[in-house]
Structures are given as structure tokens and as C-alpha cells.
Amino acid sequence: VTGSAEQPELSAAVEASRALVAERFPDARQAWLSGSFVSGYATSTSDLDITVLMDEVEPHRESLLHRKWPVELFVHTESSVRHFVAKDLDRRRPTMARLVSTGVPLVNGNGGDVLMRECAAAVAAGPRPLVGAELTLARYGLTDQLDDLAGGASAGILDAVVVEVWRSTAELFLATATWWSGSG
């Protein structure tokens, strides 16, 4: 991490993340700290989102506690990162691409530079347009939910339908504007 305006929280998060990667993955080609600490939105319950790039590994996700920090580890190879980027593009949520492209590198050297650029390009390109049968199905689903809302029901059921109408409307808006959606 460079720059003198670095937040103390980010500095401590990077230090703890580097230590974890050095201890658990000494052969890592690269690792990145991403998420709320890097974006500046960390809270007292935020975890360290660390993506580790290995030459050979069974890709996996792991939750753990390291030096009192909650950690979400995403351990991958180049091919598994590309696989999950493709899956995320299909679901219009670039989770893996953002984890890699916005991350603070944790391992000295240039491992993963090409992959980081590929992920940044995927995020910058945005999702593919929603067209044809996909667009028709999304519109149908929203219209069906609006019919359920107009039909009335008990308060609890209506509350659930309102939530789904809101979610579906937001998802349809984002999809037709070719903007990413997300969660978490």
C-alpha cells in the first residue's frame, strides 16, 4: 500500500493479511486484500476478504479467525478465478472479479498481474445486456409479483411481496441499464 494518507485500519488490516498469507500460503503467487477495509467502509464487524492465488490447489473458501481478525479466505488458481469470474458475469454480480481487481496486493513480486488486469477489464466492461427471452422473463416475473401485490393478502404476505417487488425492480433496472448488481 502506498501513500501517506493511509487509514490506520487499512494499514493494520494489510499487515495482518500479509502475515496470514505468509504463514498459511508461503508459495502463494499473489494474494489480495479486498472488501470493506480497502473500500473504506469497514465496520467493527468487518472481516478481511483475502483472495490467494496458488499454482496448484483445490480451490476453496474458508472462514477463520487470525490474530483476532475475522477472515474470509478465497483460495484459487488462475483457472479457478477465471471460472468464477465467468459464473459471476452470468449472474450479473462480479464478485470474484472485484475481489481480485480492487485488491491490495499482499505478496511482493508481480504474480497475478495479468489476472488482476483481466478482472479489472471484466468489471469495467459491465454486464452484457439483458435481451430476448431473459428480458421477457424478468419483466414477466415483476408483473406477476405486482399482480400478487395488487391482489392483497395478509400483512405478512404483502410485506414479503413488497420486498420481492423492490428487489426485482432494482435487479431489472440494473440489468437494463447494463450496471452490475451485488449483495453483501
Side-chain angles (χ1 to χ4, degrees):
V1 177
T2 60
S4 59
E6 185 176 300
Q7 302 170 1
E9 303 84 23
L10 178 57
S11 178
V14 168
E15 180 184 324
S17 299
R18 282 192 172 129
L20 172 67
V21 171
E23 290 169 22
R24 298 262 324 259
F25 305 98
D27 295 330
R29 289 184 45 213
Q30 188 51 272
W32 299 275
L33 172 65
S34 305
S36 58
F37 282 96
V38 174
S39 67
Y41 293 103
T43 68
S44 62
T45 61
S46 292
D47 59 5
L48 302 176
D49 295 305
I50 303 172
T51 305
V52 180
L53 180 63
M54 303 290 292
D55 283 324
E56 293 183 31
V57 70
E58 183 65 35
H60 64 279
R61 181 177 181 166
E62 182 180 346
S63 299
L64 59 108
L65 195 61
H66 176 76
R67 296 185 180 179
K68 300 184 181 179
W69 292 85
V71 177
E72 284 295 320
L73 276 176
F74 307 91
V75 184
H76 288 277
T77 63
E78 279 193 29
S79 63
S80 68
V81 167
R82 289 184 178 113
H83 167 79
F84 281 100
V85 167
K87 283 182 69 166
D88 289 348
L89 294 179
D90 283 345
R91 67 185 187 106
R92 313 182 76 73
R93 294 181 178 195
T95 306
M96 180 58 70
R98 279 193 178 135
L99 284 171
V100 173
S101 68
T102 64
V104 173
L106 301 172
V107 174
N108 290 331
N110 62 359
D113 289 351
V114 169
L115 191 60
M116 193 173 189
R117 285 191 299 273
E118 286 176 20
C119 289
V123 171
R128 62 179 170 67
L130 191 62
V131 296
E134 280 183 304
L135 181 57
T136 300
L137 182 60
R139 287 177 175 158
Y140 169 79
L142 179 56
T143 302
D144 189 48
Q145 292 168 354
L146 288 170
D147 288 343
D148 290 345
L149 188 60
S154 69
I157 291 172
L158 283 178
D159 289 346
V161 173
V162 165
V163 168
E164 278 304 301
V165 166
W166 180 90
R167 187 197 58 75
S168 296
T169 301
E171 292 285 340
L172 182 57
F173 172 79
L174 293 170
T176 57
T178 62
W179 292 343
W180 295 114
S181 65
S183 65

